[in-house]
Amino acid sequence: MRDTWDSFVKFFVSLKLTVSLLALSIILIFAATLDQVHLGIWAVQEKYFRTFIVLWPVKGFPVPVFPGGYFIGGLLLVNLVAAHAYRFTLSWKKAGIFLTHAGLILLLVGELLTGLWQQEYQLRLDQGQTRNYSESSRDNELAIIDATDPQWDEVVAIPEKRLAAGEPIQVARLPFRVVVNAYYPNATVQMRDQLPNAPAAPATRDIGARLALIAMAPTYKENERNLPAATIELFGPEGSLGTWLVSTMLIEPQTFDYAGKTWRLALRFKRNYQPYSITLEKFSHDRYTGTDIPKNFSSKIHLRSDDGKTDRDVLIYMNNPLRYDGLTFYQQSFANNDQTSILQVVHNPSWLLPYIACLMMGLGLVVQFSIHLFGFFAKRRRAASI
Amino acid sequence: MFLRSFLPVSASLALLFVAGCRDEKIATYRVPKETPPVIAPADSPASMAALPADSTSPAADPGPLTWQAPAAWTAKPLGPMRKGSFLVLGTDGAEADFSIVSFPGDAGGLAQNLNRWRGQLKLAALSPDELSAAATPLAVGNLQFTVIDFAGQGATGPTRILGAVLTLPDQSYFFKLMGPDATVESARAAFLDFLKTVKTR
């Protein structure tokens, strides 16, 4: 038992492990950089870094081929902490080394937390428009809305990944079960009567009975997004209520009545509701006089919280985001001939950690260098005085 | 020996796995009732009577093109998929709709899309050769537009479509001015002037 424990400890505190992990991370970054051409930055991050194992499809089956970023980074973190705990001796002479390594540990933890917690949304506003939610740039959700109440909507939001998993979904608030008959990560829809040789209608209810669904290859380009679709069947106690085609291309929710209530159904960009609303008062796209060269983009918005405590105008422009209620609103883009502003909305509770980590590492190196430098001077003084 | 090396690795893996698990939970919440979105007329190559969606490109993507609309045109709220949307008023106050949408690739081909526009005006489909003869090429800088002018019947009477199709390497843009015949006719010069402002970013 003692032997096993010793080998356990030695494995984690060894410098060999550190070097091996650093070598593996170099290979991982190299491979990911090459693959970024095919997948784009987001998919590469998910495939190589925010995963334990890198999977490679071989004849359609994902085969683990290499340790992922979480695995390598996690082990590095364990290695670093364990080595310090094992060899720890409190000494001022090592203060700089402690500080530098503590900074490194914080950097690794910060990246892990960013990976776990960071969420990115977009807030797209036409001039004069008010919204109290932002939409995910990549994630989608199936919203099943109880719209019976004249003032409120009761929303059940099912993540797209649950649809992709294909398992029946039962939610206590819904009087029916949701069964995913088919799921398409990227698809377009067209009216059947406008297509020669249109395939069979994918659904029996609402607009889906008149549409043709055309599956498309998923896109990995940074400036494009996949528009998923699914055919879902709802089952009440009496049996099937019908099948619906849901697609992010369909903007209007599909409405039906069941169990004395009015329901709406929509596959949409994942929404993040906030207890405040933002109105775009004016979007400005300034150009250098006499040219089309952009000088500045800015959005004048009005921020109003539901509790009435905040009610003010804010100017968001490049490098001057609005930070409010744990979210950061950046000026990201614009559309519709300068009539629409697109704000990037980022939720990252650990955004300060990398800054603190770099500060600690920088300070640690300065301290350690200074300790050696002053030690060297002291030594020279002693030598000279002899 | 195997046990000795296996134990630490598996223990650390388990630790990391617990730390790294992300859940995909179903959320339930209540929000104030939303007013339905203003839906622009359906006019995409997908052209769906009840479908406002009109592009497969991302809602957030401003696209590779810029343009400058005439001051007299009023910008309308976009469906999330429209790249541009304007209200064009005729001298008699009648309204025409100008839309800009894009689709990946050739969106099913030029002939199919032009015939779809003809279908909206209750006109018979033409062969690709006949369509080529009916279309006018327009070069703006390095951009090559195919401009068409179809007059037919709409739901409210004589209706005209002034359209332009621009095929880029990986996507196609459709510029369409549709409305009462006289209104569209009076906006012809503005439409052509507008096309001349289209540039790549």
Side-chain angles (χ1 to χ4, degrees), chain B residues 36-60:
Chain B
V38 181
I39 302 301
D43 55 358
S44 68
S47 185
M48 304 147 203
L51 287 178
D54 46 13
S55 159
T56 51
S57 52

Side-chain angles (χ1 to χ4, degrees), chain A residues 166-376:
Chain A
E167 288 172 13
I169 299 160
Q170 183 93 51
V171 184
R173 285 206 189 184
L174 302 178
F176 41 73
R177 195 159 46 99
V178 182
V179 174
V180 183
N181 286 346
Y183 163 78
Y184 306 86
N186 194 20
T188 185
V189 289
Q190 292 204 343
M191 296 303 290
R192 293 186 71 240
D193 57 16
Q194 289 179 4
L195 276 180
N197 307 321
T204 58
R205 299 284 300 262
D206 214 302
I207 184 82
R210 291 190 285 140
L211 288 173
L213 187 127
I214 300 146
M216 291 166 68
T219 175
Y220 296 108
K221 291 182 184 170
E222 271 174 62
N223 60 351
E224 287 182 4
R225 76 178 288 165
N226 291 307
L227 296 173
T231 52
I232 59 167
E233 189 164 5
L234 304 182
F235 285 90
E238 67 277 31
S240 172
L241 311 180
T243 51
W244 279 261
L245 169 67
V246 289
S247 159
T248 39
M249 282 191 76
L250 307 175
I251 295 160
E252 266 195 302
Q254 300 173 64
T255 306
F256 64 96
D257 291 322
Y258 178 70
K261 288 183 170 179
T262 302
W263 300 91
R264 294 193 209 287
L265 203 58
L267 186 61
R268 64 189 190 187
F269 302 159
K270 185 182 171 190
R271 289 187 182 180
N272 184 28
Y273 280 91
Q274 302 299 338
Y276 49 86
S277 60
I278 289 178
T279 307
L280 177 64
E281 297 198 331
K282 184 167 173 46
F283 174 73
S284 303
H285 178 181
D286 307 328
R287 297 172 178 85
Y288 287 99
T289 315
T291 74
D292 278 342
I293 300 166
K295 185 180 178 187
N296 185 36
F297 310 108
S298 61
S299 294
K300 187 185 174 198
I301 58 138
H302 190 83
L303 176 66
R304 189 179 290 111
S305 65
D306 293 353
D307 60 11
K309 286 180 181 168
T310 306
D311 192 357
R312 61 186 165 102
D313 283 341
V314 181
L315 188 66
I316 297 172
Y317 52 94
M318 289 291 183
N319 300 325
N320 190 58
L322 160 70
R323 292 186 197 278
Y324 184 74
D325 195 33
L327 294 180
T328 312
F329 297 79
Y330 299 91
Q331 180 68 55
Q332 184 184 32
S333 187
F334 56 96
N336 195 21
N337 213 28
D338 297 354
Q339 300 297 310
T340 304
S341 177
I342 300 168
L343 303 176
Q344 185 188 31
V345 186
V346 178
H347 171 73
N348 182 8
S350 56
W351 69 279
L352 268 176
L353 287 187
Y355 295 97
I356 298 171
C358 288
L359 211 69
M360 285 168 70
M361 286 193 286
L363 199 65
L365 289 172
V366 170
V367 168
Q368 199 60 34
F369 177 72
S370 304
I371 288 170
H372 281 282
L373 188 68
F374 288 118
F376 173 72

Side-chain angles (χ1 to χ4, degrees), chain B residues 24-47:
Chain B
E24 284 293 339
K25 282 187 183 155
I26 293 172
T28 54
Y29 50 85
R30 168 193 257 209
V31 290
K33 195 166 277 297
E34 195 180 349
T35 39
V38 181
I39 302 301
D43 55 358
S44 68
S47 185

Side-chain angles (χ1 to χ4, degrees), chain A residues 3-4 7-8 11-12 46 50 52 70-71 74-75 78 112 115-116 122 124 126 132-133 141 147-159 161-162 169 171 173 187-191 194-196 207 210-211 216 221 223-225 227 248-252 264 268-269 271 273 287 292 333-337 339-340 342, chain B residues 3-5 7-9 11-13 15-22 24-34 36-37 39 44-62 66-70 75-86 103-104 107 112 116 120 170-171 194 199 201:
Chain A
D3 278 357
T4 309
S7 74
F8 191 88
F11 173 81
F12 279 115
E46 295 298 320
R50 289 175 180 166
F52 288 98
Y70 278 161
F71 185 91
L75 270 184
V78 172
L112 177 69
L116 293 178
Q122 276 183 338
R124 188 186 173 97
D126 296 331
N132 64 343
Y133 63 86
E141 64 187 11
T148 316
D149 191 296
Q151 285 189 315
W152 300 94
D153 282 343
E154 302 281 351
V155 182
V156 174
I158 300 167
K161 282 183 184 165
R162 295 289 291 262
I169 299 160
V171 184
R173 285 206 189 184
T188 185
V189 289
Q190 292 204 343
M191 296 303 290
Q194 289 179 4
L195 276 180
I207 184 82
R210 291 190 285 140
L211 288 173
M216 291 166 68
K221 291 182 184 170
N223 60 351
E224 287 182 4
R225 76 178 288 165
L227 296 173
T248 39
M249 282 191 76
L250 307 175
I251 295 160
E252 266 195 302
R264 294 193 209 287
R268 64 189 190 187
F269 302 159
R271 289 187 182 180
Y273 280 91
R287 297 172 178 85
D292 278 342
S333 187
F334 56 96
N336 195 21
N337 213 28
Q339 300 297 310
T340 304
I342 300 168
Chain B
L3 187 71
R4 285 183 187 183
S5 55
L7 256 181
V9 173
S12 54
L13 257 180
L15 186 79
L16 287 170
F17 198 74
V18 170
C21 275
R22 285 199 230 192
E24 284 293 339
K25 282 187 183 155
I26 293 172
T28 54
Y29 50 85
R30 168 193 257 209
V31 290
K33 195 166 277 297
E34 195 180 349
I39 302 301
S44 68
S47 185
M48 304 147 203
L51 287 178
D54 46 13
S55 159
T56 51
S57 52
D61 176 18
T66 65
W67 49 76
Q68 191 69 43
K76 290 194 289 191
L78 299 174
M81 301 304 161
R82 274 199 180 200
K83 302 285 185 196
S85 184
F86 295 91
F103 259 66
Q112 193 183 333
R116 189 179 47 72
Q120 291 170 6
D170 58 350
Q171 58 185 318
F194 172 85
K199 291 178 193 165
R201 275 183 207 283

